[in-house]
Amino acid sequence: MNIELMRKLTQANGIGGCEDEVRDIIAEELKPLTSGLRTDAMGNLIGTIEGTGGPTVVVTAHMDEIGFIVRFIEESGYVRLQPVGGFDPRTLVAQRVAVHTRKHGVLNGTLMPGVKPIHLLGPNDKKELDLQDFFVDLGIKADDVKDQVQIGDMVTMRREFEEMGDMVVSKCLDDRIGCYVMIEAIKAVGKVNATVIPVAAVQEEVGLRGATTAGYGVQPDITIALDTTIAGDIPGMPTDAAVTKLGNGAAIKVFDSSQLPNRKLIAHLQEIAEQNDIPFQLEVLPRGGTDAGAFQRAAAGSFTCTVSIPSRYVHSVNEMCAKSDIQACVDLVAQFLREAGTRDYGYGIG
Ligand SMILES: [Zn+2]
């Protein structure tokens, strides 16, 4: 496995609308594999691998990570934040962040909630944390903060990529590990019948926005989205609510709140996994969605499914994926691309 590429992708920083650093890395990887690499008005990165007359197949993963922008700078120099994407405030206490300024480089800071410390808490003080409670301390004078930081500057979480046992752990495996699977599957695939269009999408975490324009722009026949999903195989989770388990293989999406995937496409992916001894699990995610939902409904629609990489602790800086699941996703997507065009997923009337 290309661990160094995983490290590079996860250590890059890019919230919705600020995916430049990630786009540059993916463009470098895709350039030798594609023709006509381009961006659209939203910032999606789109390439083409010409086939020999088969269908047009989009393989897509999103580049953006959840993060913040600077909302307000206090007189005292503390920085207040606007979340861009869905955070659980319980995962944010005592973290470290990076403030990416326009003209003064990256400033490191601590992220803490502006509430009384635990040993000063009275019985009537609130104990629940809100996202609005958090502030950044940059460790510099208030005047310097006002000089160097401005409203709208990107703020990202800091956490190193690490190999841990059979797993990898990092910030924003959601969805840089999907970007990794997209790149590695395309590297592995060789010459195929289908025209393959890799799409590195922007602004997924704020509502599948990049995928919406990419879907209209490309209008593919088939779309496979690659994203992380919940692996709830942890203490405190009822077993029926786990969604997936780490190490049980690539997750083939059956349901989420953004799409009902094409049933024939689900079956095809499942058969490919069975015939090629690729470990897989079927995934029903009661809440949450992926970019496949936007592609499914763009223009006159496309046949869509999502191949998910199971992840524990989603939307925290300790997102954890199994190396074997990541490889299973690469193998499944690569084999699908080889077979794309051999099946009809349509609803023909005789
Ligand atoms: Zn995601």
Side-chain angles (χ1 to χ4, degrees):
M1 301 190 86
N2 192 343
I3 295 289
E4 275 323 298
L5 179 58
M6 284 184 208
R7 190 187 309 278
K8 214 163 133 185
L9 284 166
T10 56
Q11 292 306 293
N13 297 297
I15 65 165
C18 311
E19 296 92 347
D20 310 65
E21 199 185 329
V22 189
R23 184 165 41 239
D24 286 349
I25 294 169
I26 298 174
E28 198 184 305
E29 295 290 326
L30 290 182
K31 214 169 242 169
L33 306 167
T34 58
S35 61
L37 200 59
R38 65 187 193 277
T39 54
D40 69 6
M42 289 283 290
N44 297 302
L45 178 69
I46 303 168
T48 303
I49 303 158
E50 287 294 345
T52 52
T56 302
V57 184
V58 157
V59 182
T60 186
H62 69 89
M63 297 187 282
D64 60 312
E65 67 189 270
I66 53 170
F68 305 90
I69 56 171
V70 172
R71 169 172 61 87
F72 181 73
I73 300 163
E74 300 205 357
E75 265 313 299
S76 51
Y78 294 116
V79 173
R80 293 289 188 169
L81 303 171
Q82 168 64 40
V84 181
F87 278 109
D88 177 348
R90 295 172 300 179
T91 65
L92 290 174
V93 178
Q95 297 293 344
R96 299 201 185 162
V97 294
V99 177
H100 304 259
T101 69
R102 261 181 76 189
K103 291 185 186 148
H104 298 87
V106 177
L107 305 175
N108 289 335
T110 61
L111 185 63
M112 297 299 292
V115 293
K116 282 186 190 171
I118 191 92
H119 47 276
L120 296 180
L121 220 53
N124 297 322
D125 289 322
K126 81 171 187 139
K127 294 189 181 70
E128 299 273 296
L129 289 174
D130 293 322
L131 287 172
Q132 302 297 325
D133 292 333
F134 286 85
F135 65 91
V136 178
D137 183 346
L138 291 165
I140 54 177
K141 291 192 187 81
D143 284 346
D144 293 337
V145 175
K146 289 174 213 159
D147 258 10
Q148 297 177 29
V149 178
Q150 70 170 33
I151 305 299
D153 283 347
M154 172 170 79
V155 181
T156 56
M157 307 301 292
R158 291 167 56 205
R159 189 59 69 95
E160 285 182 357
F161 174 92
E162 195 176 336
E163 291 179 80
M164 191 179 283
D166 302 326
M167 316 295 179
V168 293
V169 183
S170 182
K171 80 175 184 78
C172 68
L173 286 174
D174 180 5
D175 185 28
R176 304 295 160 66
I177 208 67
C179 296
Y180 171 89
V181 171
M182 176 179 77
I183 293 165
E184 292 299 306
I186 286 170
K187 279 184 192 165
V189 77
K191 192 87 190 127
V192 292
N193 191 23
T195 292
V196 180
I197 311 276
V199 175
V202 295
Q203 301 190 32
E204 189 272 352
E205 297 289 0
V206 288
L208 321 183
R209 295 182 195 173
T212 301
T213 62
Y216 273 84
V218 178
Q219 299 194 17
D221 301 306
I222 303 164
T223 305
I224 304 289
L226 304 165
D227 209 332
T228 57
T229 193
I230 290 172
D233 54 341
I234 55 170
M237 281 289 282
T239 48
D240 76 300
V243 183
T244 66
K245 287 183 182 168
L246 233 55
N248 277 14
I252 300 169
K253 183 85 77 181
V254 176
F255 177 99
D256 69 25
S257 56
S258 72
Q259 65 165 332
L260 294 165
N262 178 282
R263 305 290 291 197
K264 293 177 188 168
L265 185 48
I266 296 171
H268 189 190
L269 287 164
Q270 181 171 348
E271 282 166 41
I272 289 171
E274 284 164 353
Q275 284 160 11
N276 294 277
D277 292 322
I278 299 166
F280 74 98
Q281 43 196 322
L282 296 172
E283 176 204 351
V284 173
L285 183 69
R287 279 178 59 205
T290 72
D291 278 339
F295 273 93
Q296 188 178 45
R297 283 175 281 172
S302 72
F303 304 126
T304 64
C305 193
T306 298
V307 172
S308 307
I309 307 103
S311 170
R312 289 184 191 144
Y313 324 120
V314 289
H315 285 199
S316 81
V317 291
N318 276 332
E319 290 179 331
M320 179 186 282
C321 293
K323 289 180 189 174
S324 60
D325 294 341
I326 300 167
Q327 189 57 47
C329 290
V330 172
D331 296 343
L332 179 58
V333 173
Q335 188 55 30
F336 174 77
L337 293 176
R338 289 181 199 112
E339 293 189 18
T342 60
R343 300 272 182 106
D344 179 11
Y345 310 115
Y347 304 88
I349 44 169

